[in-house]
Amino acid sequence: MKKIFCVIWSLFLCLQLGFHTVRADDTLKLYAKSAILMDAGSGRVLFDKSGKARMPNASTTKILTCLYIIKHCNLEEEATVSKNAAAQPQVHLGARAGEKYKVKDLLYGLMLESYNDCAVILAEHAAGSTENFAKKLNAEARSYGAKSTHFVTPNGLDRTDKNGIHSTTAYDLALIMKQCIKNKEFLEITRARSHSFHDASGQRSFNCNNHNALLSMMDGAVSGKTGFTSKAGYCYVGAVKKNGMTMIAVVLACGWPPHKTYKWSDVRTLIDYGAKNYSYHKIIPDYSKLTDLYVNGGMEHKVSIGAKGGGMTLLLKKGEKVDIKCQIPKSLDAPVKKKEQVGKIEYVLNGKVIREEKVFTKNSIDKKDYWWYLGKTLDEFCL
């Protein structure tokens, strides 16, 4: 009886804490309706659950708002609060119309506390209106390869315009986060535990605390952003370093109240899956097999060939194998120029060519001409 009780209690804890197992078909059991796990280095998708389904994404939008402001605005400038910005719903800073704030301070409010009014103040400062800013955000997203993203608001609040609802995909968010974590100022802001500042007049003071619990919950956590609206549910996008990899995890529609912790369980499940099943491998072709090629009609019979690639480092799943294929002719026709491409080495993974290296000649060989044949004739005559 005691053993049965222990088994039941262990199962209960697993369900509550989200310690999901991997099925035989490698499908993870997740709370999220949509999820992506991506390797930040290569961009390879390590796990996908409806990752390209367009969905509302709440305040995860703010990672792109933050990065756009960092890249396109002077962070030391002051931004003025409009009536529209001051009227934004909670969660908000409580900025008042006419007040001025340093742009960088507003970014801390945006990312640490997820203040909706900070997003609007920044959007209007950068583009004059939230509508114009949305156009710029969507163009920025497309430049990162995020082609299914349609942002209407700078803060992720549920809105609709003539082109559709505010939405993106887990895959697109991973691509955006991939760019975000390359930016030192983005990391500085999103990793800060707290930040204190005041308005331009110095009369009002504020203190922001970081609500990204993953930074303290998981070793190797790099950055991230939570989100919630009634349509989007609980969402999260974040990056974690583990086993030499930097992985980006995105979960959308990951439960509704009171299941606020489901997103943390799902992120841990995704990261553990990636760390367990993938690792980097150095793939080096056997360059010694690049033997000299015969040259038809050349003043010399053979030409040396080589490749400059030096191999590649690749993220592979357990059981995956990279095939190396050489596409090289049996012979060449003279004349042959030095550093002329004569073939290629292909790296093939799961039937797809993922990289090519050029095979080139190391020296030149001229074509036999009249003077060559005359010389040979004279040599034979003299003998």
Side-chain angles (χ1 to χ4, degrees):
M1 180 62 72
K2 185 176 180 180
K3 289 184 178 180
I4 294 174
F5 174 78
C6 290
V7 171
I8 294 173
W9 180 247
S10 297
L11 288 172
F12 173 77
L13 288 177
C14 287
L15 290 171
Q16 291 299 309
L17 297 175
F19 295 154
H20 308 310
T21 57
V22 181
R23 298 175 185 170
D25 61 357
D26 280 347
T27 299
L28 296 178
K29 182 180 178 183
L30 300 172
Y31 294 112
K33 291 184 178 181
S34 174
I36 279 283
L37 181 67
M38 178 183 287
D39 172 55
S42 65
R44 182 178 182 182
V45 173
L46 312 182
F47 180 84
D48 181 343
K49 177 184 178 182
S50 302
K52 293 191 176 181
R54 294 185 66 168
M55 303 176 68
N57 64 297
S59 287
T60 57
T61 301
K62 290 167 182 168
I63 65 170
L64 184 55
T65 295
C66 180
L67 184 61
Y68 183 90
I69 296 296
I70 289 172
K71 290 177 63 177
H72 299 283
C73 295
N74 182 344
L75 304 192
E76 298 304 313
E77 285 183 350
E78 292 180 348
T80 303
V81 182
S82 69
K83 290 183 179 179
N84 176 45
Q88 293 302 302
Q90 293 185 347
V91 175
H92 58 206
L93 177 70
R96 299 164 185 167
E99 291 180 334
K100 294 182 179 181
Y101 294 86
K102 186 187 291 187
V103 168
K104 190 168 186 177
D105 289 333
L106 292 171
L107 288 176
Y108 279 99
L110 176 79
M111 299 306 291
L112 302 193
E113 293 282 359
S114 202
Y115 287 145
N116 291 315
D117 52 355
C118 287
V120 174
I121 299 167
L122 290 166
E124 292 177 342
H125 175 75
S129 69
T130 55
E131 291 77 15
N132 287 339
F133 188 72
K135 293 176 183 178
K136 293 180 180 295
L137 272 193
N138 293 326
E140 192 84 7
R142 287 192 295 273
S143 73
Y144 301 152
K147 299 179 180 179
S148 297
T149 294
H150 177 63
F151 288 160
V152 181
T153 66
N155 45 29
L157 292 177
D158 296 324
R159 294 286 189 277
T160 302
D161 64 11
K162 63 180 180 180
N163 294 314
I165 65 170
H166 184 103
S167 59
T168 185
T169 66
Y171 177 74
D172 277 14
L173 273 178
L175 291 177
I176 294 169
M177 192 62 173
K178 185 172 179 285
Q179 296 298 321
C180 288
I181 60 175
K182 294 178 182 179
N183 188 284
K184 291 182 180 179
E185 287 181 300
F186 180 90
L187 292 176
E188 174 194 324
I189 291 167
T190 58
R191 291 177 60 82
R193 291 190 176 185
S194 63
H195 180 72
S196 297
F197 63 97
H198 50 73
D199 70 337
S201 71
Q203 296 180 1
R204 300 184 68 200
S205 298
F206 304 88
N207 185 65
C208 299
N209 295 303
N210 200 327
H211 292 276
N212 180 11
L214 198 72
L215 291 175
S216 57
M217 287 171 52
M218 183 176 287
D219 291 339
V222 175
S223 179
K225 184 70 188 74
T226 57
F228 174 81
T229 66
S230 59
K231 291 184 179 180
Y234 290 112
C235 304
Y236 186 75
V237 52
V240 177
K241 288 184 179 180
K242 191 169 185 178
N243 290 2
M245 296 182 288
T246 299
M247 293 173 278
I248 297 171
V250 184
V251 290
L252 300 177
C254 194
W256 275 258
H259 304 299
K260 192 174 183 178
T261 61
Y262 280 5
K263 60 182 179 290
W264 305 129
S265 170
D266 277 3
V267 169
R268 185 177 292 277
T269 298
L270 287 168
I271 297 299
D272 287 347
Y273 171 82
K276 179 181 178 182
N277 290 279
Y278 289 84
S279 59
Y280 277 102
H281 297 265
K282 183 70 175 179
I283 311 298
I284 303 177
D286 185 358
Y287 293 110
S288 66
K289 293 184 178 180
L290 296 177
T291 56
D292 295 349
L293 294 180
Y294 182 80
V295 181
N296 300 311
M299 290 187 176
E300 295 179 34
H301 294 304
K302 291 184 178 182
V303 63
S304 298
I305 59 174
K308 287 185 178 179
M312 69 179 297
T313 300
L314 187 65
L315 187 68
L316 298 175
K317 191 176 183 179
K318 284 184 178 180
E320 284 185 329
K321 181 183 177 183
V322 177
D323 293 320
I324 305 295
K325 296 182 179 180
C326 292
Q327 304 288 345
I328 302 171
K330 292 182 179 179
S331 64
L332 300 173
D333 294 327
V336 175
K337 295 181 180 180
K338 185 178 180 179
K339 294 185 179 181
E340 177 182 346
Q341 183 178 352
V342 294
K344 59 185 178 181
I345 298 173
E346 294 180 335
Y347 295 73
V348 182
L349 177 63
N350 298 327
K352 294 182 179 180
V353 177
I354 58 174
R355 181 177 173 175
E356 293 182 354
E357 287 180 14
K358 294 179 180 179
V359 175
F360 57 90
T361 55
K362 292 183 177 182
N363 55 288
S364 299
I365 295 182
D366 293 329
K367 186 177 181 180
K368 294 177 182 177
D369 57 14
Y370 168 80
W371 297 106
W372 185 89
Y373 285 107
L374 178 61
K376 284 292 184 182
T377 302
L378 290 173
D379 286 344
E380 292 179 7
F381 180 78
C382 290
L383 291 174

